[in-house]
């Protein structure tokens, strides 16, 4: 495959993922039903799998599966709680929350991207009306290899613009958000 064809394929794949991303939600919105079980990675469907009449897109099945895994599967120091509920408890009820499948920010747009197998991740993002943001990226596989392996934290961040802080563990993110004055209060300054 030529570098141009590879880039085009990645762009098309990401455009398709963006087009099927779920709507924004507040913390008190109704949560989706649990996903169909998987036979490869516990809790995460394999690409192209279907569950008896399931009409959800592959992207939505991956998002649902990640939302329903225990945060303890990603960070053993954390409580036994669904990831979506854990994220909302960390960021509070005020922000808009969205979930999407992406490459965890790995693509640079340079020729170095040619032929690379980018991570396949699920991003949970919280946005406040005043410009603050918080997000976690959970890696569930790669674009070429599909969903495989154990879900793991790729990166987490919270703040506003150049005052954002980065975290490399769920525990650090939760501590910043919960113990140090709740995210919405700690980041306002």
């Amino acid at each position: 495959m030529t570098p141009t064809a590879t880039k085009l394929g990645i762009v098309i794949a990401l455009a398709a993922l963006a087009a099927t991303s779920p709507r924004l939600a507040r913390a008190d919105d109704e949560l989706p039903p649990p996903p169909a079980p998987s036979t490869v990675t516990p809790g995460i469907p394999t690409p192209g799998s279907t569950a008896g009449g399931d009409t959800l897109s592959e992207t939505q099945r991956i998002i649902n599966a990640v939302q329903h895994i225990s945060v303890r599967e990603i960070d053993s120091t954390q409580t036994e709680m669904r990831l979506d509920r854990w994220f909302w408890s960390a960021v509070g009820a005020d922000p808009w929350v969205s979930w999407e499948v992406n490459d965890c920010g790995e693509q640079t747009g340079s020729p170095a991207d040619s032929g690379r197998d980018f991570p396949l991740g699920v991003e949970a993002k919280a946005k406040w009306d005043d410009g603050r943001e918080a997000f976690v990226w959970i890696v569930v596989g790669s674009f070429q290899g599909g969903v495989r392996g154990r879900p793991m934290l790729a990166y987490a961040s919270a703040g506003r613009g150049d005052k954002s802080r980065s975290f490399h563990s769920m525990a650090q993110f939760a501590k910043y958000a919960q113990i140090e004055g709740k995210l919405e209060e700690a980041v306002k300054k």
Side-chain angles (χ1 to χ4, degrees):
M1 186 178 288
T2 68
T4 304
T6 301
K7 286 180 188 176
L8 182 58
I10 291 169
V11 169
I12 291 170
L14 289 176
L17 291 174
T20 60
S21 292
R23 66 178 178 80
L24 293 175
R26 293 263 186 200
D28 57 352
D29 286 350
E30 187 176 319
L31 296 172
S38 171
T39 58
V40 176
T41 302
I44 299 186
T46 57
S49 65
T50 58
D54 188 359
T55 60
L56 292 176
S57 71
E58 184 64 26
T59 299
Q60 191 60 51
R61 282 195 298 276
I62 292 170
I63 290 169
N64 285 352
V66 170
Q67 288 175 330
H68 287 80
I69 63 172
S70 170
V71 71
R72 184 173 282 193
E73 286 185 49
I74 300 166
D75 184 338
S76 64
T77 67
Q78 294 300 290
T79 185
E80 188 70 38
M81 180 186 286
R82 280 178 25 182
L83 179 62
D84 56 354
R85 293 182 190 261
W86 176 90
F87 185 72
W88 274 331
S89 74
V91 300
D94 293 334
W96 289 97
V97 174
S98 63
W99 295 78
E100 71 176 33
V101 173
N102 61 37
D103 66 357
C104 298
E106 287 289 317
Q107 289 190 64
T108 65
S110 74
D113 288 348
S114 180
R116 283 185 58 204
D117 187 11
F118 295 101
L120 178 62
V122 173
E123 176 186 46
K125 185 174 195 175
K127 289 183 83 165
W128 287 262
D129 292 337
D130 64 3
R132 290 171 289 133
E133 293 183 338
F135 63 87
V136 295
W137 279 328
I138 307 299
V139 175
V140 296
S142 69
F143 275 89
Q144 292 176 12
V147 176
R148 67 181 192 292
R150 184 178 183 156
M152 62 183 199
L153 177 68
Y155 188 74
S157 177
R160 181 188 343 219
D162 62 351
K163 296 189 188 242
S164 291
R165 291 186 59 189
S166 299
F167 307 96
H168 297 287
S169 79
M170 304 294 271
Q172 289 174 343
F173 182 87
K175 180 179 179 184
Y176 178 74
Q178 296 169 350
I179 297 172
E180 294 182 16
K182 280 304 226 184
L183 182 62
E184 54 267 18
E185 295 166 11
V187 182
K188 279 184 181 177
K189 299 174 182 163

